Amino acid sequence: MPERRVMLGRRSMLLGCGVAGLLGAAGYSSVLYASDQTDFLKVSSILTGKDDLDPTLAARYEASLTRHQADFPKRLNILGHIIAQGSYKDVESLFASSLMPSDRETAMSIISAWYLGVVGEADQAELIAFSDALMYQPCTDVLVVPSYGAGPLAWGEKPPV
């Protein structure tokens, strides 16, 4: 069966943010962790320590994590509640708490996706972002992110069959 991709338009995003903001102001904080893009961004921001995460990449990471882990929305919901209830401001304080192994695994899958730009492993790996992966940010002032191979002279010997 072909894979369906859902594109979130700007108006839908603004409407969703407005509704989430009103519900949050009305005291319905548990509704805010119903696994939508805004929640994923909020959780991702705390886990990565970055305030300026790209919403488009967030939507792609969340969709990919959901494809690779069918229960990811539920796990994100639980992790979001833990972060909200514990008033954690950064990943260090969250990991210093007594997280369940499954919650730690969920957090690590989100962190890994943002930093590596890849979701999944081995044959199931899905590239979401290359040059926008967070692992390149610390050295962007001195390192040009490689976008192509070095060529035949850098390939080495052909491996035996």
Side-chain angles (χ1 to χ4, degrees), residues 93-148:
S93 61
L94 176 65
F95 276 26
S97 69
S98 55
L99 277 179
M100 297 291 292
S102 60
D103 299 326
R104 186 175 297 269
E105 182 182 317
T106 301
M108 290 304 295
S109 68
I110 294 170
I111 294 168
S112 175
W114 279 105
Y115 274 88
L116 299 178
V118 175
V119 174
E121 295 180 19
D123 294 344
Q124 302 300 314
E126 183 178 352
L127 177 66
I128 305 299
F130 180 72
S131 61
D132 291 328
L134 294 182
M135 69 177 164
Y136 292 116
Q137 281 192 356
C139 55
T140 54
D141 57 338
V142 279
L143 175 71
V144 175
V145 177
S147 60
Y148 53 86

